[in-house]
Amino acid sequence: MKKKESVVAVIRREKRRRALGTDLMCDWDFARDNGENPQLTRLAQNYVTHFENFRNRGAGLFLYGGPGSGKSFTAAAIVNELTDRGYRCLFTSLLTVLSDLSGLGYGNRRCFLSQICDRDLLVLDDFGTEAETSFSSDVLLQIINLCRLKSVPIIVTTPYHPDALTQGGAASRRTFAVHRLLSRCTPVNVIIPRPRSSRNFRQKQQGETLLKEPAQQEAQPKGLPVPKQEDQAKEQPVQQK
């Protein structure tokens, strides 16, 4: 039987859900950290501990690394901890923001962006996976500028190295926006922990082994006896001469 949560726990979970936009990451916190990457965990905890200092300077983090390295978990853990402490945070992605903006009129878009940036911390998850267009670059630049004016720190998670995101040339608005973003964020290379990498490799090997196994003949459905050869011969219609 599932233990009933206290009123305090229910309120805390609801605040986390509003900050994250989903129930899935409400349990992604330092208490449930598996300890596979202690250096990254310590960095995240230090960011929370000294958040007032980072917030006053509008200083964020730029977490980059391969899929499954723990970037999103770390960002969500920071959001959950700060939310529990009473800060107003938002965990979203540029792709989600662009999707929400597409359904708004021109007059409501700036108001929507202003509301997104009216926080103590903004997280942009999976940065760089959205299509690079003039519209997306303009929206990104507006978010960065608004957060800069309001001294709102931004935490970015991305599977791309910062150099790969700034290859558009000096005239590229996207490159300019990323450079401005990096000027306010500390880059952190998140490497997949060895235990997790080994576990992922074993799971991949197991999947490949299963796919290479010879297909087994399907079992005969129960209740349907296999016909004998003599019975099959009797069932053959006699051809008329």
Side-chain angles (χ1 to χ4, degrees):
M1 184 176 179
K2 189 176 179 180
K3 186 178 179 181
K4 188 176 180 181
E5 290 184 311
S6 65
V7 176
V8 175
V10 171
I11 293 175
R12 183 182 65 180
R13 189 173 187 85
E14 177 60 20
K15 289 181 178 179
R16 288 185 175 189
R17 188 191 66 78
R18 290 181 181 180
L20 298 165
T22 176
D23 289 322
L24 177 64
M25 296 182 288
C26 287
D27 294 326
W28 292 13
D29 52 30
F30 296 127
R32 292 172 177 80
D33 192 298
N34 58 18
E36 288 184 344
N37 195 336
Q39 184 176 359
L40 180 63
T41 302
R42 185 166 57 253
L43 181 146
Q45 290 175 331
N46 287 340
Y47 187 83
V48 170
T49 300
H50 303 288
F51 182 68
E52 273 301 310
N53 182 285
F54 288 110
R55 187 167 73 105
N56 291 335
R57 296 185 291 113
L61 299 172
F62 196 94
L63 308 177
Y64 65 95
S69 56
K71 304 181 301 297
S72 297
F73 179 93
T74 302
I78 292 174
V79 167
N80 282 329
E81 183 64 30
L82 291 177
T83 300
D84 292 347
R85 298 187 183 196
Y87 291 100
R88 297 178 302 113
C89 306
L90 177 63
F91 187 107
T92 186
S93 67
L94 184 56
L95 185 62
T96 300
V97 172
L98 293 171
S99 177
D100 292 339
L101 283 174
S102 64
L104 299 177
Y106 178 81
N108 295 326
R109 289 181 178 178
R110 185 167 183 82
C111 180
F112 176 76
L113 291 176
S114 181
Q115 291 176 350
I116 287 178
C117 301
D118 188 22
R119 313 279 173 160
D120 296 311
L121 175 69
L122 175 65
V123 174
L124 295 178
D125 192 39
D126 283 337
F127 179 70
T129 58
E130 68 285 339
E132 183 179 343
T133 63
S134 58
F135 177 66
S136 65
S137 298
D138 287 343
V139 171
L140 173 62
L141 195 55
Q142 288 182 62
I143 291 175
I144 295 171
N145 288 338
L146 284 170
C147 287
R148 187 179 183 182
L149 290 172
K150 298 181 179 183
S151 191
V152 177
I154 301 176
I155 293 181
V156 172
T157 74
T158 177
Y160 301 104
H161 191 280
D163 292 344
L165 296 169
T166 55
Q167 294 179 347
S172 170
R173 292 179 64 82
R174 172 74 168 219
T175 300
F176 176 77
V178 173
H179 275 303
R180 175 161 286 189
L181 184 61
L182 288 169
S183 69
R184 303 182 64 240
C185 297
T186 301
V188 179
N189 185 8
V190 183
I191 301 174
I192 300 178
R194 187 178 297 275
R196 188 179 306 169
S197 179
S198 300
R199 185 168 60 250
N200 292 342
F201 180 73
R202 289 195 302 269
Q203 291 176 349
K204 182 180 179 182
Q205 280 189 321
Q206 291 173 358
E208 291 177 350
T209 301
L210 290 173
L211 291 173
K212 291 178 181 178
E213 286 184 354
Q216 297 180 354
Q217 187 176 2
E218 294 184 3
Q220 184 73 18
K222 293 182 179 180
L224 297 177
V226 180
K228 298 180 180 179
Q229 290 185 354
E230 300 115 13
D231 296 334
Q232 290 179 346
K234 291 179 181 179
E235 293 176 0
Q236 293 286 346
V238 179
Q239 295 183 355
Q240 295 181 356
K241 298 182 179 179

